[in-house]
Amino acid sequence: MAEPATATQAAAPAVPQLKDELDIVIPTIRNLDFLEMWRPFFQPYHLIIVQDGDPSKTIKVPDGFDYELYNRNDINRILGPKASCISFKDSACRCFGYMVSKKKYIFTIDDDCFVAKDPSGKAINALEQHIKNLLSPSTPFFFNTLYDPFRDCADFVRGYPFSLREGVPTVVSHGLWLNIPDYDAPTQLVKPLERNTRFVDAVLTIPKGTLFPMCGMNLAFDRELIGPAMYFGLMGDGQPIGRYDDMWAGWCTKVICDHLGLGVKTGLPYIYHSKASNPFVNLRKEYKGIFWQEEIIPFFQQTVLPKDCTTVQKCYIELAKQVKEKLSKVDPYFDKLAEAMVTWIEAWDELNPTGSSVTNGKAK
């Protein structure tokens, strides 16, 4: 059985990479005691904590961390009427942290995620591996059978086109989990005792044209190159659906990455997911999404963005238009979601007036 590492097993890196270029975003409703385990890895970095639920509750953060904390009152104050696009009573509120950050990179993690151990028993510095993934190119146009050719002891295999070996910028690093897998409610109900103990030492680029179920609990991305696409939708209080926030962001992001020539990696690093959520509660949140996704996924698979969509923002506004046109027949919720997508971009641009735009994989 996989077990989390202890704080004493986690050794801090000699020189923290991207110390002044990366924010760690954490959504929470509770005291952040879990940070003690992550202290050797997280303490050099700035934290953005997005408090969900009751804003009058005091969230305690261990001493020694550099952080800013936003609750619902802060979100309403900063965004005004546009705060309606930020979910309430749902971890989707984390995307507010992406919006207010001023750093190039974001790493986001849930507060029930602990430091995992590799097969040798060594504590895994998840953040360090995410940075490695983001700083090396992706290869979405041709699959390499040795997976990520930019890792140590790997390369492009015989037959890989030399014209494609330069790769493209990696903008998303999607990590995995030991112990509690990220299952939907029906799978949780039929496999209540299942735990993931398999450590697969691999990183691979998700090919162009292939969608994937993105999980937000162990995720890093290039905020400058793809940030406006990382909207976690309308979930939680007052909405007919939950637990599809990260899925929605992943589908939108992947379609935009494919259009702009950007890369997405999945695999390492692992975290230790400590707590299984209640499958009956999850089923209430998910049940509409379980049906809706059978129409949502074909929608994204068939989505074509016009050539004049040359920035993430333009791509996202076009996606919102197509969501309204083609998914509103599924449920009126998608009209509301499409409007929130536009509001999100307007709010993003207001808080980031000089933000980078991306054209064909290059920041401008």
Side-chain angles (χ1 to χ4, degrees), residues 254-296:
K254 188 57 166 63
V255 167
I256 293 173
C257 284
D258 288 350
H259 177 75
L260 294 177
L262 301 169
V264 178
K265 291 183 178 181
T266 188
L268 300 180
Y270 283 92
I271 51 84
Y272 183 92
H273 187 205
S274 66
K275 186 176 66 176
S277 50
N278 186 310
F280 297 100
V281 173
N282 290 346
L283 187 59
R284 285 200 298 270
K285 295 178 179 179
E286 294 174 5
Y287 80 96
K288 287 190 176 182
I290 290 170
F291 293 101
W292 290 352
Q293 70 184 13
E294 301 305 320
E295 297 189 60
I296 295 171

Side-chain angles (χ1 to χ4, degrees), residues 26-32 49-53 59 69 93 111:
I26 305 168
T28 193
I29 58 172
R30 58 181 62 87
N31 295 334
L32 294 180
I49 300 163
V50 184
Q51 178 179 344
D52 194 19
I59 299 293
L69 188 150
C93 67
D111 60 15

